[in-house]
Amino acid sequence: MTNQSLSIYKKFVKIPTCLFVILSISLPIFASTGTKEFGGEHGWSNLQKTTGLTTGKGRFGWECLQLATKTPGSSAEIADLLLTFDSEFTRDETGHYEILSNKLGHTTKALKGDGAAISKGKHSGGLSVKGKDESLFGGGKKLAGSFTFDFYLNPAVVDNGQQILYWRTSMNVDRNSGYQKIEAAISGNRIVWEFSNIFYGYTDSKGKNTVRLEGYSTLIPEKWARHTLSFNQETGMIEYLVDGKTEAIQFLTITKHEGSAVCAPVFGEDASLSICPDFSGKIDNFRITRSPYEKTYDGSLYATGNEQYRLGGGSFVSEPILISNAASLDELDALMNVPAQTEIRLYVRAGDDCYGWTENFPIWHEVLPGEKISGVSGQYFQVKADLLPDGAGMKSPSITRLTIKYTEQNEPLPPLAVHAEPGNGSVTVSWSYSIDDTAGGYYVYYGNRPGEYLGRTAIQGPSPIRAGNTSSLTITGLENGVIYYFAVSSYSRIDGRINGTLSKEVYARPSARLN
């Protein structure tokens, strides 16, 4: 081969190599995969509710969920907060809460265990706790699900206005900010419970989102009594009991009757929970659980005979997990132990707004571990499991870990070049098309301050304006002499709800002298 032929040959083989590199760079990556885990080495703190379950030792020494025994008095739920007050050093036995301040005293004159707490009078300050992220009061605008407050109280005096429990925070819903409050206080020699703006969609007879429950049993100084406030997410029933007997009951549903859509509780921003901040007397065994109260007398809620486990089994529902817009669930893997004749049934569901979810909406899809899942997509995912014993009620299945695998669409890249040309009461914004093949159109943002695109005066509408799949937009109805700032983003052609990051910012000042 001559030198000239060799040179031609080298040029020939370089062409497809360069093309390969160019094609590789421009090839769009439409989606990425990810996983979320429940249980495993981090435990089962991310559950919305459990029924008939307790924790045990699973695979690799990790915590597992298994059926609770049907023995009356056994723990059939996972505690969210537990203060036993058995020692002078008060701590949350669950590890979900941090003690911020404790001005309660300690006494051995207890009803349960080795000790109780004593509040030394009005304005004494009580006990203040701060919840971690996984706790009921940990903040983050979360669906609370079922819950129960349970404690033993022995008042020294019975004065109106004494507070047993107090929690107040803020909540942002549909861009509107409001307050939330939970309070248990003494009024008319009784404990009155009040929930303000907690139950989403609920209104009382005065059109307010206020739930008030008042017992009929009077408090007696120097006498112990058990007080229980329970909400059942499945039925919408909220119930106040004293010594296990119902004192007040309501249904927090759209119709205020059983059988209609439940007004789910939503807890807002992180705020401390105060226990006995303004009370004179003793308190013992204060507990919060993420499940409704279950009466255990007469064995009515348990299987009959010598069964170790309830034949109806138990279940749990995870908290809704935020992924991203247009994510799709691909697979559910489970690390579990299923003895002969027992069974674990797994369910998943998804949607874009979890705050309107009910027990049966969106619908649950039963899935098998390791199998491909299709048709389940949205911004939030949720998992449910039913654990069923054998026919004799002597064997329990267990779950150590659940892992969901999902695919989410990537955000398209913004335009690289953006320009703004002022006119008379208008600005023409132009841009280069995004190099990202997943871009299906563009949003134009505008406003009067750098980085704040809150404009509302344009004839084309408030910021951002959906421009469609074009490379320029003339925004009219602007004020001459006022400076405006602009940025452009790309939205996905695969799913228009997916909006990418903003481009560089440009600005322009309309003027009457410009045509």
Side-chain angles (χ1 to χ4, degrees):
M1 182 179 295
T2 66
N3 290 337
Q4 183 177 8
S5 300
L6 182 60
S7 176
I8 294 173
Y9 175 75
K10 288 181 179 180
K11 290 181 181 179
F12 176 78
V13 298
K14 284 182 180 179
I15 292 174
T17 304
C18 294
L19 285 174
F20 175 77
V21 172
I22 293 171
L23 289 174
S24 298
I25 294 173
S26 62
L27 183 64
I29 302 175
F30 293 100
S32 57
T33 59
T35 62
K36 291 286 184 179
E37 186 176 283
F38 304 89
E41 60 181 328
H42 301 296
W44 292 91
S45 59
N46 48 358
L47 298 183
Q48 185 180 90
K49 74 172 181 177
T50 64
T51 303
L53 300 181
T54 188
T55 56
K57 189 174 183 179
R59 297 281 299 276
F60 311 118
W62 294 338
E63 183 181 73
C64 72
L65 292 179
Q66 60 191 27
L67 295 176
T69 60
K70 72 180 185 72
T71 304
S74 65
S75 176
E77 71 284 317
I78 296 177
D80 185 66
L81 170 68
L82 176 58
L83 304 170
T84 64
F85 302 115
D86 284 343
S87 69
E88 294 185 9
F89 177 73
T90 300
R91 68 185 182 92
D92 171 29
E93 302 294 331
T94 72
H96 297 157
Y97 289 80
E98 171 191 358
I99 306 296
L100 294 181
S101 64
N102 183 14
K103 297 183 180 180
L104 298 177
H106 181 260
T107 176
T108 57
K109 295 179 180 180
L111 182 68
K112 297 287 184 179
D114 298 326
I118 183 168
S119 182
K120 300 177 181 180
K122 295 187 69 174
H123 311 299
S124 60
L127 175 72
S128 179
V129 298
K130 177 180 176 61
K132 299 179 181 178
D133 289 344
E134 67 270 17
S135 69
L136 185 63
F137 290 95
K141 191 181 177 183
K142 66 177 64 174
L143 280 168
S146 298
F147 60 84
T148 298
F149 298 97
D150 188 64
F151 53 87
Y152 295 86
L153 203 67
N154 184 324
V157 294
V158 182
D159 291 338
N160 288 340
Q162 292 188 72
Q163 289 180 321
I164 314 301
L165 178 74
Y166 187 78
W167 179 75
R168 179 176 173 129
T169 188
S170 62
M171 165 68 102
N172 294 315
V173 178
D174 299 329
R175 298 182 181 180
N176 294 317
S177 180
Y179 81 95
Q180 291 185 300
K181 184 184 74 172
I182 298 176
E183 181 181 29
I186 297 176
S187 177
N189 297 333
R190 301 172 177 85
I191 291 183
V192 177
W193 294 82
E194 187 170 300
F195 296 79
S196 299
N197 301 314
I198 298 294
F199 296 91
Y200 191 78
Y202 179 80
T203 54
D204 60 13
S205 58
K206 298 180 180 179
K208 296 182 178 181
N209 190 330
T210 301
V211 177
R212 180 184 171 92
L213 293 99
E214 179 177 350
Y216 56 80
S217 296
T218 57
L219 298 172
I220 301 176
E222 304 299 335
K223 183 179 179 180
W224 285 103
R226 182 183 183 184
H227 300 267
T228 307
L229 188 287
S230 175
F231 173 74
N232 190 322
Q233 170 69 32
E234 296 183 6
T235 62
M237 183 178 73
I238 189 167
E239 183 180 15
Y240 172 45
L241 308 97
V242 177
D243 290 331
K245 297 180 180 180
T246 300
E247 299 262 319
I249 190 171
Q250 293 184 38
F251 282 94
L252 306 184
T253 63
I254 298 300
T255 63
K256 300 181 179 61
H257 297 287
E258 187 176 7
S260 62
V262 173
C263 299
V266 182
F267 286 15
E269 301 303 319
D270 182 16
S272 61
L273 174 68
S274 297
I275 299 167
C276 296
D278 191 357
F279 174 70
S280 179
K282 296 190 287 289
I283 189 170
D284 199 5
N285 208 48
F286 186 97
R287 178 192 299 261
I288 301 175
T289 56
R290 305 291 288 271
S291 62
Y293 173 76
E294 291 190 21
K295 300 177 182 178
T296 57
Y297 58 86
D298 298 332
S300 58
L301 293 182
Y302 298 101
T304 58
N306 298 318
E307 300 90 348
Q308 184 177 359
Y309 304 105
R310 296 168 56 187
L311 295 182
S315 64
F316 71 80
V317 179
S318 75
E319 293 178 344
I321 301 297
L322 174 64
I323 305 297
S324 67
N325 285 328
S328 59
L329 189 58
D330 300 324
E331 189 178 314
L332 178 65
D333 286 341
L335 182 62
M336 56 190 186
N337 180 37
V338 186
Q341 300 180 34
T342 69
E343 187 176 355
I344 295 179
R345 296 175 180 173
L346 301 173
Y347 307 84
V348 295
R349 66 179 179 180
D352 290 330
D353 183 2
C354 68
Y355 301 106
W357 288 8
T358 64
E359 180 186 1
N360 298 312
F361 175 81
I363 62 172
W364 291 100
H365 302 268
E366 186 171 0
V367 298
L368 295 176
E371 286 199 352
K372 178 67 176 178
I373 299 173
S374 60
V376 181
S377 61
Q379 189 171 1
Y380 292 88
F381 292 156
Q382 196 172 32
V383 178
K384 180 174 75 168
D386 293 333
L387 282 70
L388 302 173
D390 65 316
M394 300 303 292
K395 299 177 182 178
S396 171
S398 64
I399 301 180
T400 302
R401 183 182 64 198
L402 289 177
T403 305
I404 59 173
K405 299 179 180 180
Y406 60 88
T407 300
E408 57 181 334
Q409 303 298 329
N410 290 338
E411 297 177 350
L413 297 173
L416 293 179
V418 180
H419 302 280
E421 186 69 28
N424 184 4
S426 67
V427 172
T428 298
V429 182
S430 59
W431 57 88
S432 60
Y433 284 101
S434 172
I435 62 171
D436 193 332
D437 290 345
T438 66
Y442 303 90
Y443 281 107
V444 179
Y445 295 75
Y446 70 97
N448 296 122
R449 294 177 62 86
E452 294 184 8
Y453 308 113
L454 306 177
R456 303 185 60 85
T457 60
I459 293 175
Q460 288 71 26
S463 176
I465 301 170
R466 187 170 179 137
N469 193 15
T470 184
S471 60
S472 67
L473 175 69
T474 298
I475 303 175
T476 58
L478 303 182
E479 186 176 350
N480 287 329
V482 175
I483 190 170
Y484 291 87
Y485 297 86
F486 305 88
V488 181
S489 69
S490 307
Y491 60 81
S492 173
R493 65 179 172 84
I494 301 170
D495 190 317
R497 297 171 299 175
I498 303 174
N499 188 25
T501 57
L502 297 180
S503 69
K504 71 171 185 178
E505 182 177 84
V506 294
Y507 62 90
R509 192 187 302 269
S511 174
R513 63 180 177 79
L514 300 172
N515 295 321

